[in-house]
Each structure stands twice: as structure tokens, then as C-alpha cells.
Amino acid sequence: MELLKFLFYIILIAACAAQCPDSDANLLKWSDHAGTWSGSPPTENDNLTITQPILLDEQPPTLYSIVITATGKLVWDPNTEVHLKVHWVQVDGELHIGSEDCPYLSNTHITFLGNVEENNLGAGGDKALFVTAGGTLEIHGKPKLSWTKFTQTAPKFNTETDVIASQIENTNKKGLAVYSINPTTGELVDSAFFNFLINGRKYPNLIISFVNFLDDIPDGNIVGIAIHKDLPRRGDITGALEAIEILAGQTDGTNPLRDTEDAMYSLLTTKGSTAMTKEVYLPLKSEGKTIAEASMVVAEFIVVVTSTFNMKMKGKSKAEVLVAVDLKYRPILTFIEDVSIWETGDTVVIASTDYDWKQAEDKTVIECPSCSNNEIRVSSPLKFTHYGEIYKNVDMRGEVGLLTRNILFDTEDAEGSTTYGGNLKVLKGFKSVHIENAEFNDLGQQEVLGRYPIHFHMCEDVDENEATRPWIKHNSIHHSNSRCVTIHGTHGLIVRTVIGYVRKKV
């Protein structure tokens, strides 16, 4: 009996292997430059035409276009992680990233490049992956639970009961905020703001005051430092930077603040011990917010020091410290299903359970050794309460969806536009299209009609053959520029358990 079981499993494994697209004996390796490409492999910004079966088993250069002809096939090697950057891809033949029986388990990343209407590609459009008549597109990522529900209400972070101490700098001055925190109680023992927006002649006394304040902080206390607005240099600030380096246990001259002024900076460390030093340094973004946030968990509380600069708010800046109950600030969320397949670093979206849809919020999953299989812990507090009860036999439990997938399609911003993303388009007469467990971020085009993250365009009846019926399942589409899935003049397409979250404003 045991022998029969063994043989059965061998046969089963062999049968599954036969379904894996990379097992095609006719595939030529991309990495075989001499054989596959006759010594001339694709180079930067090439227009590549694929006329034979090729296994993508190495990082390709940035390409302008890829045309897979009716005799061509491009298959992702399951053991190779690649980041394909390309303006557009036309699939007349076959493109495979895994299969239904052999999902692709490595990470891969496809980024669409290009500017507004830089090409005239007809139905396909710019920044596109389009499947034409006779084309096959098979995308099968790592299987993950797409969404689930709360088992109980998840309360929002309460600033009255969950906060131990907090302080926000409210000044037009520019410089460094310094905080001293008791490591046992979380009490904010002392703080000071050092204004560097003063006459350069006053800098020597300013630096002395700064250094003395750091020296007077007792050993063992938690020390936080954050830039507010900017760190002007109207005089020599070397002494202040050296004091920060000593505090943080850095080699002389290595603090990143020595290199540039246009940055946000936050630091957390323990006076007299640098084992837990956390430092975040971020050059200012050209638009939106730049947030440098450092955090440290001590006993049952968490300390967070933040340095923020907001370009949209005419350079509004903020330096602040927050000490909070850790389990409230980084809460554990409990669900009705096993979510152990969700991984540290994944992003989840929590749906609004209020009349205001804007109460949806996304969070990052963090490590949680104590969590059960139906629990996760997230990296930041809930801004809103999310209801999780069955009320009078009506299931009103809030939904939580997974945004992260191991196959990621995204977009590089066009010149002068942040709403001109890539698009995936399927045209009438395609042979086979199945997309599952993939992530589509920042796709769609507001500037051009008919350019959506996933678009079946005038394909007519597609369910005549159940064996090849197309479907889209277990995907996430978020921060879209124009809709999510568009089914236009197409009948019989299956769309199931697809997460859609946040469409950009016009």
C-alpha cells in the first residue's frame, strides 16, 4: 500500500510538472547570449521582437517595446526574480508568468514607462500590455487569501487613553527639537527647541546650549531628535553634528545631516547605549509629504519621533514626539479565517464600516510572534473604528483585503503627469487570458479614454468554451488612475475576489 501511495505521488508530481510553462523543452534561455541571441542580446531601449520560445532567466535591460509574434513565447523562469521596465508589450503569441497548476512563487515586477501619447499604437495605446487576436496571457502569482472579515470590532486609536505623552512643535522657527523620555514610565521628562534661524554670530552660543542639553540628559533615558522645517546653516554647526554622532554611536563625520540641508530627519536612541538607535533621513520630495519617522519599543510602550514637510501646504512642517501604549498604537487584528499566508511587509486595506467611504485605511503587516493563524499586527494605529459584529442576524463585520502580491505591475510617472499609468488591454479573438494573484498599482490613464488597469475591449462572447473561459481572480488593483476592471462589449468573463482600492482624483 505504501509503495502504491509513493508511486501515486510520483505520478501526480510528474503530471503537475508537465503543466508548468517553464518545463517546455523548446524554450531557449534568455541568458544564453551566444545561442539564443547569436551573440547580440537585447540592449537598453531596444525594440525587441520575439519569434521563438524564450525563458526569461536573467534580469533584462530596460526595453522600449516587446512584440511576441504568433510563433513566439516568453516564459518567466520560476527561479529568477526580474524587474522588467518597458514602454509597451504586444502579445500576438504567448506570455506566461506561472500557470494555474504551477503558480509563480518568486517576486517579479513589471513597470510601464513613457509619456502622454508618445506613440500611436491604435487599440493598444501607450504604456500598455495588450493581447491581440490569437494571443495568450497567463499570469498566476502566489496563492493568497484575498480578503476576510473581522471577528470583532477594531477600535480606533484613542488619543486620550492610549497616549502616555506627546508634544508637537508649533513655531515658525527652524531647527532641531530634542526630547528626553523616561524609559520606565514613558514620561516626557524634558524637551527643548533649538532655533538655527538666527544670526550667524549667535551660533557659538547656540551650539554650546545644544551640546549641554544633550550632556545633561541622564544615561538610560530615551532621546529623540527631529528637524522642524529645516536646519539652516548660517554659521558653523559642526559641534552640533558631532554631539549627535556621539549620542548615536556614529563614526565622526558620518551623520547624514552633514551632506545636505533639504531633508527631513529623525533620531531615537538611548543615552549611553546605542544598541537600539533608530535614524531616518529622507531628502525632500518634489511634491507631497516627506515623513521621516523613527520608532522604538520599550517595555509596554512605543516612542515615535516624526519630522514632516508638506509641499502641498506651502512647506508646512512638523516635528513631534509621541509615547503610546504599544498594543494600541500597533494593534493586533483578528479575523474569521486563517491569514497566516499574509506576510510581514504586506499591505492590507481595511474597508470603511461607516457611511463615509473615506474611512477606509491601508496598513502594513509587521512581525507578530504571538499572533494566532487568524491574526495580524499592523505598524500604525487605526484612525477609525471598524465594526466587526453580526447585528440582528445581519453580517456587518468589516472587510479587510490584501493589496500585496508577488507579481506587481506598476507605472513610472510621465513627464508633467502623475495620472498617466500603464494599462492592460485584451482584444477580440484572443486565445487564452487568465490573471490571478497579481497586483496592479497606479495603472490607467485619465488623459485618454479607454485606458484602464484591466480592460476587455469588445471581445463579444467569451464563454462558449468553458475549458478556456477567461477569468480574473484574487487580484488587487489600487491607486488607479481610471477605474479598476472594465468589461466593454464582452460577455461571459469571470471576475472574482478582486480587491479595488482608491482611484485618483481627476
Side-chain angles (χ1 to χ4, degrees):
M1 182 64 70
E2 293 301 321
L3 178 60
L4 288 176
K5 285 184 179 179
F6 175 75
L7 292 175
F8 171 77
Y9 287 127
I10 292 296
I11 293 170
L12 181 62
I13 292 170
C16 289
Q19 300 301 316
C20 297
D22 59 289
S23 65
D24 184 346
N26 296 315
L27 287 171
L28 303 174
K29 291 184 176 181
W30 187 297
S31 62
D32 182 6
H33 296 178
T36 303
W37 309 107
S38 301
S40 300
T43 57
E44 197 84 3
N45 291 320
D46 270 359
N47 291 295
L48 175 64
T49 299
I50 295 176
T51 60
Q52 53 192 344
I54 292 178
L55 181 70
L56 182 56
D57 64 338
E58 71 172 7
Q59 173 61 39
T62 297
L63 297 169
Y64 197 86
S65 67
I66 301 175
V67 175
I68 305 172
T69 69
T71 59
K73 178 192 287 189
L74 183 60
V75 177
W76 261 242
D77 176 24
N79 301 310
T80 304
E81 294 189 5
V82 299
H83 183 183
L84 174 63
K85 295 182 179 182
V86 65
H87 288 244
W88 54 274
V89 180
Q90 179 175 326
V91 183
D92 304 329
E94 300 179 31
L95 190 156
H96 297 263
I97 307 177
S99 69
E100 188 173 8
D101 294 324
C102 294
Y104 185 86
L105 302 180
S106 298
N107 294 321
T108 195
H109 188 174
I110 298 94
T111 299
F112 293 104
L113 311 175
N115 296 316
V116 179
E117 295 188 285
E118 68 179 15
N119 295 300
N120 181 15
L121 301 176
D126 295 311
K127 298 179 87 166
L129 189 162
F130 53 102
V131 185
T132 64
T136 293
L137 178 65
E138 296 289 336
I139 299 172
H140 303 268
K142 182 178 181 179
K144 285 193 171 185
L145 181 70
S146 287
W147 68 279
T148 186
K149 295 182 177 183
F150 285 113
T151 59
Q152 58 192 22
T153 297
K156 70 177 181 180
F157 182 72
N158 190 321
T159 55
E160 294 183 1
T161 61
D162 301 336
V163 173
I164 299 170
S166 67
Q167 182 169 307
I168 300 175
E169 303 308 320
N170 186 18
T171 176
N172 290 323
K173 299 174 182 178
K174 300 179 180 181
L176 295 172
V178 184
Y179 310 101
S180 174
I181 298 151
N182 185 299
T184 303
T185 65
E187 176 190 2
L188 181 59
V189 178
D190 201 358
S191 67
F193 183 80
F194 296 90
N195 179 25
F196 283 70
L197 191 64
I198 59 175
N199 190 292
R201 293 193 301 271
K202 298 181 180 180
Y203 263 52
N205 289 334
L206 172 68
I207 302 305
I208 290 172
S209 296
F210 179 80
V211 172
N212 287 342
F213 186 86
L214 292 184
D215 286 343
D216 290 341
I217 294 175
D219 283 352
N221 273 22
I222 301 166
V223 183
I225 298 177
I227 282 182
H228 178 65
K229 289 185 179 290
D230 190 9
L231 184 59
R233 295 151 199 256
R234 296 182 172 183
D236 185 5
I237 67 169
T238 302
L241 298 179
E242 288 175 348
I244 294 174
E245 287 166 348
I246 292 171
L247 179 71
Q250 298 168 333
T251 305
D252 185 36
T254 58
N255 188 278
L257 289 176
R258 291 179 179 270
D259 298 329
T260 181
E261 299 178 37
D262 298 325
M264 291 291 97
Y265 175 82
S266 61
L267 170 74
L268 269 174
T269 189
T270 300
K271 178 73 177 294
S273 174
T274 61
M276 295 177 62
T277 296
K278 304 290 180 63
E279 182 182 52
V280 179
Y281 170 88
L282 294 175
L284 291 184
K285 297 179 181 178
S286 59
E287 59 183 27
K289 289 183 179 180
T290 303
I291 304 174
E293 180 180 288
S295 63
M296 178 189 296
V297 177
V298 182
E300 303 300 319
F301 59 85
I302 184 170
V303 183
V304 182
V305 172
T306 308
S307 174
T308 306
F309 193 94
N310 192 342
M311 286 290 188
K312 288 185 177 180
M313 301 294 290
K314 297 181 180 180
K316 184 177 180 180
S317 183
K318 182 170 62 176
E320 65 177 314
V321 63
L322 175 73
V323 185
V325 179
D326 186 31
L327 271 175
K328 300 294 185 179
Y329 190 87
R330 304 187 304 164
I332 292 175
L333 309 178
T334 307
F335 308 111
I336 62 173
E337 294 174 273
D338 186 336
V339 292
S340 57
I341 192 67
W342 294 359
E343 302 170 77
T344 298
D346 283 354
T347 300
V348 296
V349 56
I350 305 170
S352 171
T353 55
D354 191 86
Y355 292 109
D356 182 3
W357 64 268
K358 293 180 181 178
Q359 290 190 12
E361 47 189 319
D362 51 271
K363 300 294 174 185
T364 301
V365 178
I366 62 174
E367 188 175 355
C368 181
S370 65
C371 284
S372 301
N373 287 341
N374 67 328
E375 295 177 324
I376 63 169
R377 192 169 187 185
V378 294
S379 62
S380 58
L382 297 180
K383 297 179 181 178
F384 308 101
T385 293
H386 298 272
Y387 193 71
E389 310 296 334
I390 297 175
Y391 179 72
K392 293 185 177 181
N393 295 322
V394 178
D395 191 347
M396 301 176 67
R397 294 173 294 187
E399 302 89 353
V400 178
L402 181 71
L403 297 183
T404 305
R405 300 293 192 276
N406 68 310
I407 298 175
L408 170 63
F409 291 83
D410 67 3
T411 298
E412 184 178 279
D413 284 344
E415 291 181 7
S417 173
T418 60
T419 58
Y420 194 73
N423 73 105
L424 191 158
K425 195 167 192 175
V426 181
L427 304 176
K428 180 181 177 181
F430 67 88
K431 182 178 180 181
S432 177
V433 173
H434 300 99
I435 305 170
E436 62 178 334
N437 294 304
E439 176 183 356
F440 299 84
N441 175 28
D442 194 23
L443 268 60
Q445 299 171 2
Q446 290 187 9
E447 290 83 351
V448 182
L449 183 67
R451 305 288 184 258
Y452 313 112
I454 300 178
H455 182 193
F456 279 73
H457 179 70
M458 304 298 289
C459 298
E460 300 181 355
D461 293 325
V462 296
D463 58 351
E464 296 175 345
N465 185 344
E466 193 64 30
T468 60
R469 186 177 181 180
W471 42 254
I472 303 167
K473 298 188 297 189
H474 313 304
N475 302 293
S476 75
I477 305 172
H478 59 94
H479 298 87
S480 166
N481 302 300
S482 182
R483 306 181 188 274
C484 289
V485 178
T486 298
I487 306 168
H488 181 200
T490 300
H491 314 287
L493 171 69
I494 296 172
V495 180
R496 184 177 298 154
T497 57
V498 173
I499 304 295
Y501 172 57
V502 178
R503 185 184 74 84
K504 293 183 180 178
K505 293 181 181 179
V506 177

